[in-house]
Structure formats: structure tokens, C-alpha cells
Amino acid sequence: MAELRFTKDHEWIRVADGDVYEIGISDYAQSQLGDVVFVDLPEIGKQIAKGGQAAVVESVKAASDVYSPVGGTVVGINDALSADPGLINREPTTGGWFFKLKTGDTAQFAELMDEAAYADYVKGLG
């Protein structure tokens, strides 16, 4: 499985194919949200800036924006989430991905936290 990188907003990202990345929310984020009941995904072709709002996830506890860890164009969405948003709870870093983004700036990926740094970051949240 490809390397995951993380943001402080608890999104993860991994290389899907060349300059195309898969993006979702971390296991920590899904556990904080509780049972996910709805996901509003971006439209294919949408341009999103690094850190820009890309999707909305709603749970039994709250609704939360999902931000894009890198800037680029949406080239795919996970249609399975519309029928089964619980995938985010069951498989947050595999089947629960939200969208695919193509970027021209692959250096943005390297700037994000690796798994060890993210684990330390989450541990510091208490």
C-alpha cells in the first residue's frame, strides 16, 4: 500500500497513480465524528486550492468540512460512499477514500506529516 501523509485537519492523502492522489479522513477523525451518515463529495472537474474546502461529512454528532491537502483538479469520487457512508468508519484509509485529485505540484505531498509524525500529533491532542 502506498505511503500515507496527513494534515493537521486529519485528512490523509496517498499517491494513486503518478500525479493523482486519493484523499480521505484519518481513523482518528472518523472516531471523533462517530457514525457517518452522509457525505457530500466534490464534482469531478472542480478546481480546489491547497487547504480548500472539498467535501462535507455528516455524522450522528456533527457535520465537518473536509479540506484538500494539495491543490488540483478532482478527477474521481468514491461513489460507494453515497450508498454506504459507513465505509468511512469501517475502512477510513482504504475503501473510505473521498475523492481523487490530480495536481501539477507533487512537492505539496512531501510537505505533509508522515504516519509517525501524525501519530505524535494526535497523541499531543490528548
Side-chain angles (χ1 to χ4, degrees):
M1 178 150 304
E3 175 187 13
L4 294 176
R5 294 289 178 129
F6 296 87
T7 70
K8 289 185 175 180
D9 292 322
H10 308 288
E11 289 87 12
W12 60 259
I13 181 171
R14 80 171 140 245
V15 176
D17 184 20
D19 58 356
V20 175
Y21 295 84
E22 282 182 347
I23 296 161
I25 63 172
S26 70
D27 185 53
Y28 174 83
Q30 70 80 21
S31 70
Q32 294 297 304
L33 284 168
D35 292 337
V36 174
V37 295
F38 179 76
V39 181
D40 184 22
L41 298 171
E43 292 189 18
I44 292 175
K46 180 179 180 179
Q47 298 281 328
I48 303 175
K50 178 181 178 181
Q53 191 270 342
V56 177
V57 60
E58 293 182 24
S59 72
V60 293
K61 292 182 180 176
S64 183
D65 289 333
V66 176
Y67 303 99
S68 184
V70 298
T73 303
V74 177
V75 295
I77 57 172
N78 188 352
D79 288 325
L81 295 182
S82 298
D84 185 8
L87 271 173
I88 295 165
N89 296 114
R90 295 189 311 273
E91 303 174 13
T93 58
T94 54
W97 61 275
F98 283 54
F99 61 96
K100 292 183 180 181
L101 194 86
K102 183 173 183 164
T103 183
D105 184 1
T106 55
Q108 294 176 29
F109 177 79
E111 297 168 355
L112 299 168
M113 291 182 280
D114 63 18
E115 292 186 60
Y118 180 70
D120 286 344
Y121 174 71
V122 169
K123 202 179 299 179
L125 297 176

